[in-house]
Amino acid sequence: MKTDTLNGSLDLLVLKILSRRGALHGYAIMLAIEEVSGEMLRVEEGSLYPALHRLEQEGLLKAKWIVKENGRRARSYELTALGRKHFAAEEARWSTVTDAVRRVLKLA
Amino acid sequence: MRWFGRFLNLFRKQRIDEDWAEEMASHLAEAEERGRSVDEARQAFGNALQHRERSRDIRLLGWLDALASDAVFGWRQLRKRPAVSVAAILSLALAIGATTAAFQLIHAVLLRTMPVADPQSLYYVASTYIDREGKADYRDEFDYPTFVSYREAAADRAELLVAGMTARQEAVLTPGAEPERVYRQFVSGNLFGVFGLQPALGRLIGPNDDLKPGGHPVAVVSHEFWMRRFGGDAEVVGRTFRMAGTMWEVIGVGPKGFVGSEPGAMTDVFVPAVMNVEALNSPGWSWFRLWVRPKPGVSAEQARLIMQAVFRRRHEEGLKNFAADTPKAVVDRYMAEELVMLPAQSGVSDVQRQYRRPLWILSMLVGLVLLIACTNTGNLLTAQAAARTREMALRVSIGAGRWRLVQLVMVESLLLAGLATALGTLFAAWSAPVVVAMLQVPQNPVRLPLGADWEDWGFSVALTFFVAILFGLAPALRASGVKPMSALRGGAESHSRRRTMHVLLAMQMAFCVLVQFIAGLFVSTFDRLSNRPLGFTVERLLVADVQARKAEPRQSWEQVVDHLRGTPGVQGVAMASWPPLSGNRWTLTVRVPGIAPEARAPYALGVTPSYFDTMRIEMLGGRDFHATDVPPRLDEAKRPLPGKVIVNDAFAQIYFHGENPVGRVIAVRLSKDQASDAEIVGYVRNATYSDIREPMRPMVYLPMEDRGHVSFFVRMAGEPAGAMQLLRRTVGDVRSDLRVVQVQEQSAFVRWQVLRERLLATLSLFFAIVALALAGIGLYGVLNYAVTRQTKEIGIRTALGARPLVVMREVASGPLAMVALGLAIGLGGGVACGRMVESMLYEVKATDPSAVLGPVVVLVLVAVAAALPPALRAARIDPVDSLRAE
C-alpha cells in the first residue's frame, strides 16, 4: 500500500477511535489502533504524533494537557465539531470506495 | 486563520519543542509502565528526531521558518561587505526611484481611471484635420452652437456633456478679502449625473441648473478645494463669492477624489455651462471638450455616425463660403475632415496630449537605467557567489536541497531590492514633483495628485520582486548548481561564471549606449532649438499684455506708447496684436497678380510704427509704417479700401522670386468675394512667428487695427526684470482704465516653446550620466574580479617572463571585447529606436554621424578609465607575493 493511502487510513482510524471513545491521550490511541487493526497498520509508534498534530492543526482535533491517575501529565485529544463532520463524510466516502472495490473483485 | 495560527507558532517555537518533548516522555513512560524495557520502547517509537521535525514542520509553516532564518542570514551577509552592499543599494535605489517617479507621473497623467461610473463607456469627440505641415492632427475643442446641434441630433441615443477647459480665475471668496486664484470649469447640467457622482455635501449641479443663459449663478466646489480652502467647513453650502463679475452661490461639495476631467489640472469650482453667456451664441468660440456617453444599447460607432452626419452637413455649408479661386488642395483638405470618438476613461487634457510621448520615452530610458543597475548588481552578486562557493558546497554536502539554496540567495536579493525600493520611494517622492514643476508654464501650472493610489504602492512592491528576480535569479541558480566535490577541493574557477559576467557586461554596455544615444539626440535637439536664430533680439525686451474695456483705435493706444518712450531706461516701444512665439496665429488670403494661389496662406500680424526697430528686425528695403498708414479694409458700406503692408523675405522669395517687392501691389481677401489692394511699402528679414519649430514662412505685417487687447514691446537699456513694476505703474498712470494683465520678458515665450524639449534633454542627460557611472562601476567590478581570481596565474606568467603589457592585455581583452560588442548592439538599437523618437527631434537625425560618434567616444573614455586601475594592478603583480599568498 502506498504511504499516502496509509496515512489517510491512519487519520481515519484515529478519527474513528476518538469518535467512539471520546478523549484519549497518545499512548491510549496507539493501543486502540493495535487492538482494532492488529499488525496490519502497525507503524512506528512515534509517527502517530505528527499525524495527531496535523489533525489538530487542521482543526479536526483539539488537545489539552491532563494529569493521569499516576500524576504524570499527558496530552489528551478529542474530536471537534468539524472533526466529527469530517469523519462522517470520510467514512461515507471510504465505504463507497471499498464497496466498489469489493464488487470489482467479485466480478473478476 | 489557520495559516495565521501557524504563523504565530513561529514565535512559540520553543514552547512547541518543549511540548513535544514532554509528550514523547509521557509516551515512553507509559510504555515502561506497561512492561516494556526502555530500549524496546524507544525502538518501537522509531526515529524521534524525524517525527519531531515532521511535527514541527506541520506546526511552524516550515518554509516561513526557513525564510526568516534566511533573512537573518542574508542581512548578515549584506553587513559583512558593507561597501558592495551600499553601492548596490544606492545604484538600485536611484534606478528604482526614477522608475517609480516615472510610473507615478505616467499613472497620474495618462493612466489613472476617472473616479466615475462606468468610465469605459465614456468618449470625447474630436475632429481630424491635416495641418499646415501636412501632418494628420485633431481638434478636440468645441463651440456651444455646435454642441447644441449635436445634442439635438443625438437626443435619446447618447448623452452629450460639456466639460469646459479648466481655467484660472480671480475670485473673492470672503467679502472684502484679496482676490484668490481658483480653477474654474464649466460643466453641462447632466455631467455629474452621467458621471454617477454623489455630493459630499449639499447638492451637485443638475439639468435644472443649466437651462437659462446667465440665470444660474450656482457653484459646486471640489472636495479637495473644500478641504484646502475651507478646512472642510460644512457651512460652505449657501456661501456666496464673487468671480468674473458675478456673485455665485455654493450649492454643494463634489465627491472626494473628483477634481475635474483634465489630468494635469485640478478644478476648484464647477459652474453651469449656460453661465458662459457670451460664448453660448458664438460659433467658432471653442471653450470646452465634448464628452459622450452612448445610451444603453447604442454603440460608440452609432453615436459617432449621428454626429458625423451633422458635422458633414455643416462642412458642406461652410464650403459655400470659400472663394471661387480657392486652391483645390485646401478644399480637399477641408472636406477630408471627420469626427472621431476617442476613449476618455482616463480623462482628457492638453497636458496629456503634449506629454504622452515624452513621458513614454522617458520611462523607456528609466527602464534602461534600471536594467543597467540590475545587471550591475547581478554581476556583483555573481562575483560574490564565487567567494561563497565553498559555503554553498558545504551546505549541499550536509544535505541542503538545491531549492533551499536558491531560496537563500533569492531572499538576500529581495532584501537588497527591498532596501533599495524603500530608498527609491523617497527619491521618487522628491523627484516626481520636481519633474512636474518642469512641465509647467507659469500662467497655467500643472497640478497632479501624485502617488496616492494603491496602484502606486502595488507598482513599488511588484517592482521590488521584479528587480530581485532580474538580478538575483542567475546567481541563485548558479549557487544551487554548485558541485560540492570540486568546489571544496578548491577547484578551478568555473568558466560559465565568467561567461555570465561577460554577457551581463555586454548587455549593460548596450543599454548604456542606447541611453547615451537617445540622450544625445534630445540634448542636441534642445540645443538647436534654443539657439535657433529667431530673427529678432530677445535680450532686454519686455512684453506687456494690456486690456482695455472695449476696442480702441490705434491713436488712443499710441498715447501710452508716447508716455512709455519718455520713461528712463527705455530704448524703444512699439505695439503688436500679440507677441511672437505666443502660439497665436492669423493667416491672410492674398493673391499676387500672375502667381497661382498658394495652398498655404501667409501669416499676418498687426503692428505699429517702430515695431521692427524695437524688435531689431532688419529692414531690407522700403520704409517702416507711418502713423497714417492703414491696412486694407472694408468701409461701413462694406466696400473694400486699399491699404499698406510690409512683407518678409520669405514672402518675397515665394511670390516675387526673391526680387525686391517694394512698390508692388497685392490683393488681400477680406471676405468671400471682396479683396482690397495693398501696396507693399517695406521689406524685412524673416522672424519666427507662432511656433519656434516652424521654418520661416511668408508673412505680411499690417498696420494694427482697432483693438481691445494689445501687446506692448519695451526694449530696455539695462536689466529688464526690475522694470516690470515700473511698466505696470506707468500704464496705470496714463490710463487708469487699462488693465495690465501680464508683464513678461520676451525670452520667457522662447523658453515656454521649448519646455518639452528642455524636459526631455534635462532628464535624458541625467539618466545618461547615471547610466555611464553605473556602467563604469560595472566594468571596473568585472575586471577587478578577474584580476583577483587570476592573481596566481598572472604571477606565474610574470615569473616566466611575460611583459606587463601582455599581462594587461590578457586580463582586459575579454571584458573590453564585451564592451565593443555591447557598443555595437547598443548603436544598432539606437538607430532603430531613433525612428520612435523622430517626432520629438528638431534638425537632428538618428543616423547623423555626430549622433553616433558622441556616445562611442564617451563610452570608450569611460571604459578606459574604468579598465585602467585593475589592468595596472594586474601588471604590477609580484610573482613571489602572489605565489606565497596561496
Side-chain angles (χ1 to χ4, degrees):
Chain A
M1 259 180 147
K2 277 199 176 149
T3 356
D4 53 342
T5 334
L6 201 67
N7 275 346
S9 48
L10 181 60
D11 285 3
L12 198 65
L13 209 50
V14 170
L15 293 175
K16 175 82 183 171
I17 287 162
L18 290 177
S19 77
R20 279 282 181 76
R21 310 194 187 176
L24 289 178
H25 60 274
Y27 202 87
I29 295 172
M30 189 210 71
L31 288 178
I33 292 174
E34 263 179 310
E35 197 179 298
V36 176
S37 68
E39 294 296 305
M40 195 184 86
L41 281 177
R42 185 82 191 268
V43 280
E44 281 185 348
E45 289 171 11
S47 68
L48 175 66
Y49 291 94
L52 285 173
H53 294 154
R54 191 177 60 250
L55 291 172
E56 187 194 353
Q57 199 71 51
E58 281 164 5
L60 303 180
L61 302 184
K62 61 178 180 237
K64 61 171 187 270
W65 286 99
I66 53 158
V67 181
K68 289 194 292 187
E69 307 91 297
N70 61 6
R72 239 177 209 293
R73 286 210 326 153
R75 207 149 185 263
S76 152
Y77 297 84
E78 65 179 315
L79 282 181
T80 62
L82 184 69
R84 236 173 271 286
K85 228 187 285 171
H86 181 80
F87 172 63
E90 278 294 283
E91 197 175 33
R93 199 174 64 83
W94 269 85
S95 58
T96 337
V97 172
T98 43
D99 276 356
V101 172
R102 201 173 297 135
R103 253 178 278 136
V104 169
L105 289 176
K106 251 184 221 162
L107 222 140
Chain B
M1 251 352 255
R2 212 176 299 148
W3 188 88
F4 184 66
R6 288 210 261 176
F7 185 75
L8 280 184
N9 278 344
L10 210 56
F11 304 101
R12 302 198 309 229
K13 196 157 140 185
Q14 194 167 2
R15 239 201 74 203
I16 284 172
D17 282 351
E18 284 168 12
D19 272 9
W20 165 269
E22 189 169 356
E23 198 168 14
M24 189 180 88
S26 158
H27 181 103
L28 293 176
E30 191 159 348
E32 259 179 274
E33 273 169 37
R34 288 178 191 258
R36 291 201 247 176
S37 77
V38 181
D39 285 347
E40 204 183 337
R42 279 191 184 276
Q43 204 167 7
F45 194 84
N47 187 340
L49 264 180
Q50 195 190 332
H51 295 317
R52 190 186 75 177
E53 282 303 301
R54 268 177 62 198
S55 194
R56 199 163 81 174
D57 276 352
I58 287 162
R59 290 176 159 190
L60 279 186
L61 199 64
W63 65 269
L64 199 60
D65 182 33
L67 215 58
S69 69
D70 285 353
V72 171
F73 183 77
W75 177 242
R76 276 196 212 125
Q77 287 291 324
L78 294 185
R79 293 202 27 197
K80 221 158 78 183
R81 40 190 163 90
V84 173
S85 303
V86 167
I89 290 173
L90 283 184
S91 59
L92 276 176
L94 195 60
I96 289 176
T99 313
T100 309
F103 175 79
Q104 287 181 355
L105 278 175
I106 287 189
H107 182 220
V109 176
L110 302 176
L111 303 179
R112 186 178 284 149
T113 307
M114 296 239 302
V116 300
D118 193 13
Q120 278 77 16
S121 74
L122 280 172
Y123 299 87
Y124 71 103
V125 183
S127 67
T128 63
Y129 71 100
I130 308 291
D131 74 1
R132 293 166 57 88
E133 313 299 320
K135 276 188 262 173
D137 205 343
Y138 62 88
R139 296 184 194 95
D140 56 4
E141 297 175 15
F142 285 84
D143 60 47
Y144 205 75
T146 307
F147 165 72
V148 171
S149 67
Y150 291 170
R151 184 171 62 184
E152 278 165 9
D156 53 349
R157 279 172 293 172
E159 288 273 8
L160 267 58
L161 318 175
V162 169
M165 306 291 169
T166 303
R168 201 165 80 176
Q169 291 288 318
E170 305 259 290
V172 180
L173 293 169
T174 17
E178 284 288 300
E180 298 167 47
R181 281 174 187 163
V182 298
Y183 291 83
R184 175 209 62 192
Q185 186 171 25
F186 285 110
V187 296
S188 52
N190 55 351
L191 182 130
F192 286 110
V194 169
F195 280 2
L197 299 174
Q198 296 300 325
L201 206 65
R203 66 182 185 88
L204 298 175
I205 293 168
N208 291 334
D209 300 310
D210 192 29
L211 298 174
K212 189 166 150 275
H216 310 278
V218 294
V220 166
V221 296
S222 78
H223 190 275
E224 191 268 344
F225 186 64
W226 178 52
M227 295 307 285
R228 175 161 50 85
R229 177 60 184 74
F230 298 104
D233 179 10
E235 298 294 305
V236 73
V237 175
R239 263 177 95 131
T240 55
F241 66 95
R242 176 168 291 280
M243 176 174 72
T246 307
M247 286 304 286
W248 304 84
E249 188 196 341
V250 177
I251 54 168
V253 176
K256 198 170 177 204
F258 183 76
V259 285
S261 59
E262 299 184 37
M266 286 161 78
T267 300
D268 299 325
V269 180
F270 299 92
V271 294
V274 288
M275 291 305 290
N276 198 4
V277 184
E278 287 164 63
L280 297 183
N281 289 317
S282 310
W285 180 346
S286 301
W287 52 282
F288 58 87
R289 286 197 180 79
L290 211 169
W291 286 50
V292 180
R293 161 115 65 201
K295 295 231 164 127
V298 180
S299 74
E301 179 59 14
Q302 284 168 330
R304 186 188 77 85
L305 285 174
I306 295 165
M307 288 181 285
Q308 168 72 24
V310 181
F311 179 81
R312 192 82 204 161
R313 203 168 59 237
R314 290 167 68 103
H315 251 55
E316 273 155 14
E317 277 161 26
L319 195 60
K320 290 179 193 147
N321 293 327
F322 278 42
D325 61 348
T326 306
K328 185 165 179 304
V330 174
V331 175
D332 289 347
R333 227 159 50 186
Y334 177 71
M335 290 313 286
E337 292 175 7
E338 64 171 351
L339 222 54
V340 292
M341 269 172 42
L342 303 166
Q345 53 170 310
S346 304
V348 198
S349 68
D350 291 338
V351 173
Q352 271 186 349
R353 209 168 149 176
Q354 205 185 348
Y355 289 106
R356 175 165 278 128
R357 263 172 164 278
L359 283 177
W360 284 118
I361 290 170
L362 285 174
S363 71
M364 190 186 84
L365 289 180
V366 163
L368 287 172
V369 170
L370 184 67
L371 287 177
I372 294 171
C374 284
T375 44
N376 235 357
T377 315
N379 259 344
L380 282 174
L381 288 186
T382 307
Q384 210 58 226
R388 283 169 66 183
T389 320
R390 276 161 183 263
E391 174 205 327
M392 293 296 173
L394 209 63
R395 280 171 183 268
V396 170
S397 44
I398 60 172
R402 304 270 179 205
W403 177 243
R404 192 71 182 63
L405 291 188
V406 171
Q407 185 183 312
L408 185 76
V409 179
M410 282 312 293
V411 165
E412 203 180 314
S413 303
L414 213 55
L415 264 180
L416 263 182
L419 289 170
T421 305
L423 260 180
T425 309
L426 291 180
F427 177 68
W430 169 79
S431 62
V434 171
V435 176
V436 170
M438 289 175 73
L439 304 179
Q440 60 199 8
V441 172
Q443 304 99 324
N444 215 354
V446 170
R447 301 202 299 162
L448 280 173
L450 280 171
D453 286 8
W454 66 266
E455 283 104 331
D456 295 301
W457 291 110
F459 179 81
S460 295
V461 172
L463 191 66
T464 309
F465 279 90
F466 174 71
V467 163
I469 288 171
L470 216 55
F471 70 71
L473 199 58
L477 292 177
R478 175 160 310 286
S480 73
V482 70
K483 294 185 184 61
M485 285 312 281
S486 74
L488 285 177
R489 232 188 286 131
E493 212 244 322
S494 80
H495 278 282
S496 67
R497 181 192 319 283
R498 214 186 300 170
R499 203 165 52 229
T500 308
M501 292 179 79
H502 282 181
V503 168
L504 286 178
L505 184 65
M507 276 166 61
Q508 195 174 42
M509 288 299 152
F511 296 147
C512 184
V513 175
L514 198 54
V515 175
Q516 308 299 319
F517 183 81
I518 292 172
L521 292 179
F522 287 139
V523 168
S524 47
T525 290
F526 176 62
D527 182 53
R528 300 226 174 151
L529 262 186
S530 24
N531 290 321
R532 171 170 190 211
L534 299 171
F536 56 87
T537 314
V538 292
E539 280 79 33
R540 296 175 283 106
L541 184 61
L542 286 178
V543 182
D545 188 9
V546 183
Q547 177 97 49
R549 295 231 171 86
K550 56 178 178 34
E552 296 201 10
R554 196 173 77 210
Q555 284 69 25
S556 91
W557 289 109
E558 290 282 2
Q559 295 171 0
V560 185
V561 171
D562 289 340
H563 205 89
L564 284 172
R565 271 201 192 106
T567 313
V570 170
Q571 282 184 338
V573 186
M575 291 182 286
S577 316
W578 55 76
L581 301 178
S582 60
N584 292 301
R585 280 168 209 265
W586 174 29
T587 55
L588 206 61
T589 309
V590 298
R591 298 287 178 266
V592 177
I595 302 270
E598 286 277 317
R600 193 175 358 223
Y603 285 133
L605 182 68
V607 300
T608 61
S610 79
Y611 173 79
F612 302 106
D613 188 39
T614 307
M615 297 299 282
R616 309 264 194 274
I617 298 175
E618 193 190 339
M619 285 305 272
L620 294 172
R623 61 165 175 88
D624 192 2
F625 285 128
H626 292 157
T628 51
D629 286 337
V630 287
R633 69 215 178 280
L634 298 175
D635 67 5
E636 284 85 32
K638 302 281 174 200
R639 279 176 314 222
L641 296 175
K644 310 264 194 261
V645 296
I646 292 176
V647 299
N648 70 352
D649 194 19
F651 192 97
Q653 294 296 337
I654 289 189
Y655 293 93
F656 299 109
H657 311 294
E659 285 164 31
N660 186 342
V662 174
R664 307 285 286 264
V665 175
I666 59 174
V668 174
R669 192 167 302 281
L670 299 170
S671 75
K672 189 195 163 202
D673 312 303
Q674 285 168 305
S676 286
D677 285 344
E679 185 198 344
I680 299 174
V681 295
Y683 165 40
V684 295
R685 221 177 253 301
N686 292 333
T688 46
Y689 181 71
S690 162
D691 186 338
I692 199 169
R693 293 161 202 80
E694 241 184 337
M696 298 295 186
R697 300 264 186 237
M699 197 175 159
V700 178
Y701 294 93
L702 304 102
M704 196 176 84
E705 294 175 293
D706 303 356
R707 285 184 66 84
H709 192 170
V710 159
S711 288
F712 283 79
F713 297 83
V714 181
R715 177 79 63 184
M716 303 300 296
E719 211 21 65
M724 291 184 176
Q725 276 311 314
L726 182 74
L727 202 62
R728 276 180 187 274
R729 248 199 336 268
T730 315
V731 173
D733 286 350
V734 192
R735 290 271 308 269
S736 58
D737 60 322
L738 294 182
R739 199 163 71 85
V740 180
V741 181
Q742 201 121 44
V743 184
Q744 262 134 15
E745 293 184 46
Q746 174 70 44
S747 57
F749 290 100
V750 181
R751 253 196 337 271
W752 299 335
Q753 284 273 327
V754 295
L755 219 50
R756 200 167 65 173
E757 284 76 12
R758 191 179 66 137
L759 175 83
L760 279 171
T762 316
L763 293 184
S764 63
L765 189 66
F766 171 70
F767 293 135
I769 293 169
V770 172
L772 212 56
L774 291 179
I777 294 170
L779 178 61
Y780 171 84
V782 170
L783 271 173
N784 205 33
Y785 167 78
V787 172
T788 310
R789 298 297 293 181
Q790 298 175 47
T791 307
K792 192 161 68 174
E793 187 194 329
I794 295 169
I796 294 171
R797 297 187 57 125
T798 315
L800 292 177
R803 271 175 306 170
L805 221 58
V806 178
V807 170
M808 276 168 75
R809 204 180 58 210
E810 297 260 312
V811 172
S813 64
L816 287 184
M818 288 300 122
V819 172
L821 179 67
L823 210 70
I825 296 175
L827 281 180
V831 173
C833 283
R835 294 253 167 74
M836 280 166 48
V837 300
E838 215 163 47
S839 65
M840 300 275 114
L841 302 180
Y842 176 77
E843 286 187 356
V844 189
K845 275 213 189 68
T847 46
D848 286 351
S850 65
V852 177
L853 205 65
V856 173
V857 170
V858 170
L859 212 76
V860 166
L861 284 178
V862 168
V864 168
L868 218 51
L872 284 177
R873 192 159 74 86
R876 288 210 197 103
I877 284 174
D878 179 19
V880 180
D881 283 355
S882 74
L883 292 174
R884 201 176 281 154
E886 270 291 310

